[in-house]
């Protein structure tokens, strides 16, 4: 039976999209097929549905995501009555619900709907859908006492109409009042109550949204620049020194188009990072000459310069009414919204309030969500040596906005800040360190010389070595200044892991360092080892890889059933390669009799029940293997890439295992999402005692 939840409020402007997005995030962590239904829609396309469909890879047809538009609803209600309107909407809801394990219902928005008693309509629809209510109250501009009173009244109103209220949210509360409101609600309401503080970045329009609202023409600026949040407006009409003194981080400079001095000055300030601005808006329909625009493009590449036709005053008046919107075009706002939601709610308590089902399948998205959730549960600090690389900066923004872990970025700090400013990325919550100039360099040189004295490393040589970002980052981990390290986006695997071999070294219970990939297939997660580090392990090393891989699998929620892979199954083959796998299997069984282990076994017999039934009918692993150990790097690396490309699997890794403290390597082709996942895995590894 489909389980649904109805998100609604009592008036417009409550910002409930944050709650709707957050609930969708929670549902997709445990349910494979989640549907969306909005009973009434102003006009297609539905901005929020497009965001949910893009972010969560929904296959749902947009035409099924809503019941009818408001004009049709008003006409049906006026001509045929509320019962007929509700009947039609219930029918359309059930057409969606039958295809999904869970459905999130997006209540009406109270915005020029021309529907009488909209609150009662939402309550009735929730009851008819059999959906518990998540009630959202807007708190912007209200005192803590008035917000709490409004929340209690709203709860009473929905409860009197027969609704099951699973939880209540106060959104956009004044940050200083958040704790007082939460205490007041918990003292007077018998249900989970969550208070989300007002977040300026969510209300801020992006530069692209601003340009669209004003009908502006983009003269300069790339996609990253247009995605910047406009946090403030600075109206430029005075002399340049006065303008520069008024600039604030993330501001949009509004100036007449004939003031080339202000345009160049503002962009030069941005280039210097004092402070980074969102862009420049030119009024009066005036545009600088080609030479000025060319200079502007060189001063601050990617920073938007937009021209509008109106005068400065009416343009400014219009600007101050703009508000940012969550949409598929604002993924960074979505990360901010989710970070806010996750920081101030209790996921288990909330999901328990409406008995969300848990799927028996584990999809790639579910696995990735769980990584972030597990990492966030006990925050650790991860150092990223490649702090000037764009993909690293974008991943850092996601990790910081979602509160996944604390971060240290290495590299020339001014270069990192300028690069972040050009991308519109806020690194205020990250630590930035330049190994070449850091006070820690001398301390690290002494430690490295001590560790490598047997190799003849002097203190003078060590001073040069530790200026390398990977050595510096590894020493931060070894010295307890960071809990883990992730590198490799622009460095080779050797450059990333050699310092770890020299400085961190292997765990007492591990003879070698090895790796695994988490292979996220359509409905399951398999663990492949070793596909990245050891070219041709012997039987002892292969057994160690198997035991390490089983421990890694278990740590990340995969029940280990080990298949020691070979070109032969059971006793059907012989030869040196098969004998190595057979010997490794016996070593695993001797050392860890508690682990379910099978080998030698062919890949098809390991994962396909029908083949297993023929080849190894009595095996508890065959056909059900979750940890697949390859006999050598050639086989493992080719197999993981073949499965990744041919089966459309998401490969997360490589994840190094066997080190005393976690250091992980990225592929040089890693995407932002790959980096986020690898950092989350590193943070989770760091949660384990070393």
């Amino acid at each position: 039976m489909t389980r649904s939840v109805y998100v609604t409020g009592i008036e417009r402007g409550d910002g409930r999209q944050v709650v709707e997005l957050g609930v969708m995030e929670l549902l997709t962590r445990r349910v494979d097929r989640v549907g969306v239904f909005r009973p009434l829609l102003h006009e297609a396309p539905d901005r929020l549905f497009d965001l949910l469909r893009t972010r969560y890879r929904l296959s749902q047809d947009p035409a099924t995501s809503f019941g009818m538009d408001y004009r049709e609803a008003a006409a049906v209600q006026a001509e045929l009555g509320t019962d007929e309107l509700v009947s039609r909407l219930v029918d359309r809801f059930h057409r969606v619900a039958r295809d999904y394990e869970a459905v999130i219902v997006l209540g009406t928005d109270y915005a020029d709907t021309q529907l009488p008693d909209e609150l009662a309509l939402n309550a009735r629809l929730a009851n008819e859908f059999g959906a518990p209510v998540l009630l959202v109250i807007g708190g912007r501009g209200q005192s803590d006492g008035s917000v709490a009173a409004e929340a209690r009244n709203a709860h009473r109103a929905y409860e009197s109409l027969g609704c099951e209220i699973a939880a209540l949210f106060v959104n956009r509360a004044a940050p200083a009042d958040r704790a007082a409101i939460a205490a007041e609600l918990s003292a007077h309401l018998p249900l989970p109550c969550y208070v989300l503080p007002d977040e300026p970045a969510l209300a801020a329009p992006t530069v692209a949204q601003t340009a669209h609202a004003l009908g502006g023409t983009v003269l300069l600026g790339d996609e990253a620049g247009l995605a910047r949040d406009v946090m403030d407006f600075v109206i430029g009409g005075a002399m340049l020194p006065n303008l520069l003194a008024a600039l604030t981080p993330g501001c949009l400079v509004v100036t007449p188009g004939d003031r080339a001095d202000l345009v160049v000055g503002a962009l030069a300030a941005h280039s210097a990072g004092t402070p980074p601005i969102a862009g420049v808006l030119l009024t009066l329909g005036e545009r600088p000459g080609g030479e000025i625009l060319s200079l502007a493009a060189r001063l601050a590449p990617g920073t938007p310069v937009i021209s509008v036709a109106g005068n400065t005053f009416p343009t400014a008046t219009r600007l101050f009414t703009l508000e940012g919107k969550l949409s598929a075009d604002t993924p960074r706002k979505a990360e901010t919204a989710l970070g806010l939601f996750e920081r101030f709610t209790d996921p288990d308590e909330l999901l328990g309030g409406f008995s969300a089902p848990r799927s028996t399948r584990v999809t790639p998205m579910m696995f990735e969500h769980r990584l972030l959730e597990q990492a966030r549960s006990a925050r650790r600090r991860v150092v990223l040596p490649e702090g000037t690389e764009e993909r690293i900066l974008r991943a850092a923004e996601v990790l910081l906005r979602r509160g996944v872990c604390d971060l240290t970025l290495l590299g020339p700090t001014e270069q990192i800040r300028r690069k972040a400013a050009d991308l519109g990325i806020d690194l205020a919550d990250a630590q930035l360190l330049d190994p070449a100039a850091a006070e820690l360099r001398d301390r690290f040189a002494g430690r490295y010389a001590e560790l490598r004295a047997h190799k003849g490393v002097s203190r003078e040589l060590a001073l040069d070595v530790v200026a390398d970002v990977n050595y510096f980052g590894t020493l931060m981990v070894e010295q307890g200044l960071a809990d883990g390290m992730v590198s490799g986006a622009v460095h080779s695997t050797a450059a990333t892991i050699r310092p770890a071999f020299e400085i961190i070294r292997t765990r007492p219970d591990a003879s070698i360092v090895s790796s695994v990939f988490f292979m996220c297939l359509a409905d399951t997660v398999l663990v492949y080892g070793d596909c990245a580090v050891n070219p041709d392990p012997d039987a002892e090393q292969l057994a160690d890889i198997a035991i390490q891989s089983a421990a890694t699998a278990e740590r990340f929620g995969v029940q280990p059933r080990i298949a020691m892979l070979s070109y032969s199954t059971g006793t059907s083959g012989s030869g040196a390669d098969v004998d190595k796998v057979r010997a490794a299997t016996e070593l695993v069984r001797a050392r860890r009799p508690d682990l379910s282990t099978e080998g030698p076994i062919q890949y098809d017999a390991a994962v396909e029940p029908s083949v297993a039934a023929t080849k190894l009918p009595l095996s508890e692993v065959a056909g059900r293997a979750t940890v697949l150990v390859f006999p050598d790097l050639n086989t493992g690396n080719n197999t993981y890439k073949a499965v990744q490309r041919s089966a459309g699997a998401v490969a997360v890794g490589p994840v190094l295992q066997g080190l005393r403290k976690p250091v992980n390597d990225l592929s040089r082709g890693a995407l932002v999402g790959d980096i986020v996942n690898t950092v989350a895995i590193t943070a989770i590894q760091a949660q384990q005692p070393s």
Side-chain angles (χ1 to χ4, degrees), residues 40-106:
L40 300 177
L41 177 67
H42 285 286
E43 59 181 4
D46 182 341
R47 173 175 46 81
L48 185 62
F49 176 75
D50 283 348
L51 168 61
L52 298 178
R53 185 173 60 160
T54 301
R55 185 175 185 87
Y56 299 106
R57 307 165 203 164
L58 305 183
S59 59
Q60 183 178 352
D61 183 348
T64 69
S65 67
F66 66 97
M68 63 180 72
D69 64 42
Y70 279 97
R71 285 174 295 182
E72 180 186 357
V76 170
Q77 189 173 41
E79 296 172 14
L80 302 173
T82 300
D83 286 350
E84 179 62 23
L85 171 63
V86 170
S87 176
R88 294 186 186 187
L89 292 175
V90 169
D91 180 62
R92 293 174 192 183
F93 165 76
H94 283 299
R95 292 182 202 172
V96 174
R98 67 190 178 197
D99 295 327
Y100 297 95
E101 296 172 85
V103 176
I104 179 172
V105 184
L106 315 177

Side-chain angles (χ1 to χ4, degrees), residues 534-567:
N534 297 285
D536 188 18
D538 59 26
E540 288 271 351
Q541 293 170 329
L542 203 58
D544 197 20
I545 290 169
I547 292 169
Q548 289 184 40
S549 299
T552 300
E554 194 164 31
R555 184 173 300 155
F556 289 91
V558 177
Q559 182 181 355
R561 292 186 290 273
I562 305 170
M564 306 294 287
L565 298 175
S566 175
Y567 61 78

Side-chain angles (χ1 to χ4, degrees), residues 87-332:
S87 176
R88 294 186 186 187
L89 292 175
V90 169
D91 180 62
R92 293 174 192 183
F93 165 76
H94 283 299
R95 292 182 202 172
V96 174
R98 67 190 178 197
D99 295 327
Y100 297 95
E101 296 172 85
V103 176
I104 179 172
V105 184
L106 315 177
T108 68
D109 59 13
Y110 297 87
D112 303 321
T113 60
Q114 299 179 349
L115 293 172
D117 203 355
E118 202 164 337
L119 187 153
L121 177 62
N122 280 299
R124 181 167 177 189
L125 289 174
N127 291 335
E128 296 289 353
F129 295 169
V133 166
L134 295 183
L135 185 54
V136 184
I137 308 300
R140 180 176 289 170
Q142 298 188 64
S143 68
D144 57 339
S146 64
V147 172
E150 189 170 88
R152 293 198 303 270
N153 289 336
H155 175 268
R156 189 179 301 113
Y158 275 94
E159 190 176 50
S160 68
L161 292 168
C163 292
E164 174 194 348
I165 306 173
L168 184 145
F169 290 84
V170 171
N171 190 32
R172 296 179 166 177
D177 294 339
R178 198 200 72 80
I181 296 170
E184 175 72 12
L185 294 180
S186 64
H188 291 91
L189 292 178
L191 76 166
C193 296
Y194 309 107
V195 183
L196 311 185
D198 202 11
E199 171 52 65
L202 288 176
T206 64
V207 178
Q209 289 173 337
T210 302
H212 177 73
L214 299 177
T217 301
V218 178
L219 305 181
L220 295 175
D222 59 18
E223 184 177 345
L226 291 167
R228 296 176 190 170
D229 292 327
V230 178
M231 304 301 296
D232 191 11
F233 302 104
V234 173
I235 312 300
M239 299 300 289
L240 179 59
N242 295 325
L243 173 72
L244 296 179
L247 296 180
T248 57
C251 70
L252 182 68
V253 177
V254 183
T255 181
D258 58 0
R259 290 296 303 271
D261 59 327
L262 301 186
V263 174
V264 172
L267 294 175
H270 171 85
S271 179
T274 54
I277 64 173
V280 178
L281 182 68
L282 307 176
T283 62
L284 303 177
E286 295 281 347
R287 302 184 183 186
E291 297 86 353
I292 297 297
L293 286 177
S294 178
L295 175 60
R298 292 197 302 274
L299 276 173
T303 298
V305 176
I306 298 162
S307 175
V308 296
N311 293 332
T312 299
F313 181 75
T315 298
T317 302
R318 178 77 179 93
L319 286 173
F320 284 105
T321 67
L322 296 180
E323 185 168 332
K325 302 291 184 184
L326 287 172
S327 72
D329 297 325
T330 59
R332 293 168 59 202

Side-chain angles (χ1 to χ4, degrees), residues 41 52 71 83 113 149 188 310 318 344 367 525 568 585 639 661 665 672 682:
L41 177 67
L52 298 178
R71 285 174 295 182
D83 286 350
T113 60
H188 291 91
R318 178 77 179 93
F344 295 103
F367 181 72
V525 175
S568 162
T585 303
T639 302
K661 295 185 178 182
D665 179 39
V672 172
T682 305

Side-chain angles (χ1 to χ4, degrees), residues 240-415:
L240 179 59
N242 295 325
L243 173 72
L244 296 179
L247 296 180
T248 57
C251 70
L252 182 68
V253 177
V254 183
T255 181
D258 58 0
R259 290 296 303 271
D261 59 327
L262 301 186
V263 174
V264 172
L267 294 175
H270 171 85
S271 179
T274 54
I277 64 173
V280 178
L281 182 68
L282 307 176
T283 62
L284 303 177
E286 295 281 347
R287 302 184 183 186
E291 297 86 353
I292 297 297
L293 286 177
S294 178
L295 175 60
R298 292 197 302 274
L299 276 173
T303 298
V305 176
I306 298 162
S307 175
V308 296
N311 293 332
T312 299
F313 181 75
T315 298
T317 302
R318 178 77 179 93
L319 286 173
F320 284 105
T321 67
L322 296 180
E323 185 168 332
K325 302 291 184 184
L326 287 172
S327 72
D329 297 325
T330 59
R332 293 168 59 202
K333 284 190 184 298
E335 299 295 350
T336 300
L338 287 170
L340 187 72
F341 181 87
E342 291 162 344
R343 235 177 359 258
F344 295 103
T345 60
D346 181 332
D348 293 333
E349 179 184 53
L350 180 58
L351 286 172
F354 49 92
S355 303
R358 184 178 289 277
S359 176
T360 56
R361 303 171 66 207
V362 180
T363 67
M365 181 174 293
M366 291 165 69
F367 181 72
E368 291 170 4
H369 288 339
R370 290 177 188 176
L371 288 180
L372 301 189
E373 186 177 14
Q374 192 173 346
R376 193 184 298 111
S377 67
R379 280 178 71 148
R380 294 292 186 264
R381 177 171 294 277
V382 177
V383 59
L384 305 176
E386 298 158 323
T388 59
E389 163 62 29
E390 179 176 336
R391 289 168 294 158
I392 294 293
L393 289 170
R394 293 194 182 281
E397 180 181 42
V398 173
L399 292 160
L400 292 171
R401 290 189 179 215
R402 298 291 297 278
V404 175
C405 61
D406 297 319
L407 294 177
T408 298
L409 278 67
L410 301 184
T413 54
E414 287 307 311
Q415 187 178 341

